Amino acid sequence: PAAEEVLAWGDACYASPSDAVVRLSCWLEEHHRRGDPPQLLVVCDCFGLVRAPAAAARSYLLGSDFSKLAVLVQSEETKQLVEITCQDLAGEWPPPDIPSLANNDAATSDEK
């Protein structure tokens, strides 16, 4: 099972955390296709610090049906490790202070 697999490559100090997720993408998709989806994503830098996936990695994860995948991140307030989902990393969309695209579309069509 996927939980027993350990993946490692080269010196992680030369790759960004987003590179790690991109490099794992084939593995993630293959196991998802087999019905053995990943359970938890942990991204560490070369110093062993847990990092949230970078923007490119978040974009890939959200666009590849991994929005429910659990991700381990460090809380800014408590410095404790917290398990959230990839969707949580994206935040609320659209942001509350920006009108939704649907409202913009309606206003545009009213102006015509």
Side-chain angles (χ1 to χ4, degrees):
E4 296 174 5
E5 293 188 37
V6 176
L7 301 174
W9 58 83
D11 186 348
C13 286
Y14 296 106
S16 74
S18 64
D19 292 337
V21 174
V22 171
R23 292 179 76 175
L24 285 172
S25 63
C26 291
W27 182 87
L28 293 168
E29 292 172 18
E30 177 62 20
H31 280 269
H32 188 6
R33 186 185 63 75
R34 291 183 192 173
D36 181 26
Q39 302 299 310
L40 177 66
L41 177 65
V42 181
V43 178
C44 296
D45 66 14
C46 62
F47 303 107
L49 300 174
V50 174
R51 302 288 185 191
R58 291 192 310 269
S59 178
Y60 160 74
L61 292 165
L62 292 169
S64 299
D65 200 28
F66 292 112
S67 63
K68 302 278 190 241
L69 176 60
V71 179
L72 201 60
V73 296
Q74 186 176 24
S75 166
E76 289 183 10
E77 295 88 29
T78 66
K79 305 302 182 203
Q80 298 294 314
L81 296 179
V82 180
E83 189 175 309
I84 62 174
T85 67
C86 289
Q87 181 63 49
D88 294 333
L89 290 170
E92 183 179 351
W93 186 258
D97 57 338
I98 297 175
S100 71
L101 295 175
N103 289 342
N104 285 341
D105 290 343
T108 304
S109 58
D110 288 343
E111 294 172 2
K112 291 181 180 178

